């Protein structure tokens, strides 16, 4: 007989809290971003924030790039640019929080269907070697409202 155990909501909250405390102790910085494409011109606006935890915003910046007109390419371009900027700012341990599950899956699995994506994915994976620690995770769009205002 297989014994299953259920985790209560309180226990899950405790696990999340301990993970956040561990990240803070290790100096991991959360990087969130949002992209916005103007309808009038081909510019892609990228809003980026860096924080130590959900409430403690350290810095923010905006980047501009020419939009490809393709959402996944634009998001991967944004990730590549923000990782480049993070290395210039000497950030060593980062957690890039991504809103689009498809983008996250592409980065983690590296099996794109579109021929335009492999080069961007290779660039992102090359940039990872410039950090002492890195990770990518999914973030709820509602938690990313500051970046949307910046972009």
């Amino acid at each position: 007989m297989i014994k299953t155990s259920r985790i209560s909501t309180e226990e899950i909250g405790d696990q999340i809290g301990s993970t956040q405390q561990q990240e803070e102790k290790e100096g991991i910085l959360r990087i969130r971003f949002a992209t916005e494409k103007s309808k009038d011109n081909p510019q892609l606006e990228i809003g980026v924030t860096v924080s130590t935890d959900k409430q403690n915003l350290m810095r923010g910046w905006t980047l501009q790039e020419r939009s490809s007109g393709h959402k996944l390419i634009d998001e991967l371009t944004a990730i590549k640019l923000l990782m480049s900027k993070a290395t210039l700012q000497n950030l060593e341990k980062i957690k890039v929080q991504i809103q689009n599950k498809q983008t996250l899956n592409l980065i983690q699995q590296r099996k794109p269907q579109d021929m335009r994506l492999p080069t961007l994915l290779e660039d992102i994976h090359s940039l990872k070697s410039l950090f002492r620690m890195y990770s990518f995770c999914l973030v709820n769009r509602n938690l990313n409202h500051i970046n949307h205002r910046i972009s």
Side-chain angles (χ1 to χ4, degrees):
M1 177 180 225
I2 298 174
K3 190 175 185 179
T4 60
S5 64
R6 292 182 173 234
I7 298 175
S8 71
T9 306
E10 188 174 297
E11 289 174 312
I12 292 171
D14 290 343
Q15 289 175 355
I16 291 170
S18 66
T19 300
Q20 291 173 350
Q21 288 172 351
Q22 185 68 25
E23 288 175 1
E24 287 177 29
K25 184 188 279 186
E26 294 176 4
I28 298 170
L29 299 175
R30 294 180 181 155
I31 300 178
R32 293 182 180 171
F33 73 98
T35 59
E36 187 76 32
K37 184 186 173 305
S38 174
K39 294 176 184 175
D40 300 335
N41 64 37
Q43 283 295 98
L44 177 68
E45 303 286 333
I46 306 163
V48 181
T49 59
V50 179
S51 62
T52 55
D53 59 30
K54 288 184 181 180
Q55 292 81 28
N56 193 5
L57 181 65
M58 285 181 54
R59 64 185 87 152
W61 65 83
T62 60
L63 303 168
Q64 292 185 343
E65 181 65 31
R66 184 173 185 86
S67 174
S68 68
H70 187 275
K71 185 168 178 55
L72 280 175
I73 292 173
D74 286 349
E75 286 189 1
L76 290 170
T77 300
I79 292 168
K80 174 184 161 184
L81 291 173
L82 74 86
M83 289 178 73
S84 297
K85 180 85 170 178
T87 60
L88 292 174
Q89 294 190 6
N90 297 318
L91 305 182
E92 296 180 340
K93 299 177 182 179
I94 64 167
K95 179 182 232 176
V96 179
Q97 297 183 326
I98 301 170
Q99 296 176 57
N100 185 335
K101 190 173 186 176
Q102 189 176 6
T103 302
L104 179 63
N105 288 339
L106 278 171
I107 291 171
Q108 291 175 335
Q109 297 173 5
R110 298 173 75 167
K111 296 179 184 177
Q113 302 295 324
D114 190 323
M115 293 176 52
R116 299 173 290 180
L117 300 176
T119 303
L120 281 168
L121 291 169
E122 286 175 22
D123 291 346
I124 290 168
H125 287 281
S126 295
L127 285 166
K128 292 188 311 189
S129 67
L130 301 175
F131 297 95
R132 283 190 20 203
M133 202 242 57
Y134 64 87
S135 65
F136 300 94
C137 68
L138 200 58
V139 67
N140 186 333
R141 180 179 169 92
N142 296 334
L143 298 176
N144 211 19
H145 63 281
I146 293 173
N147 300 326
H148 283 284
R149 278 192 257 150
I150 292 175
S151 66

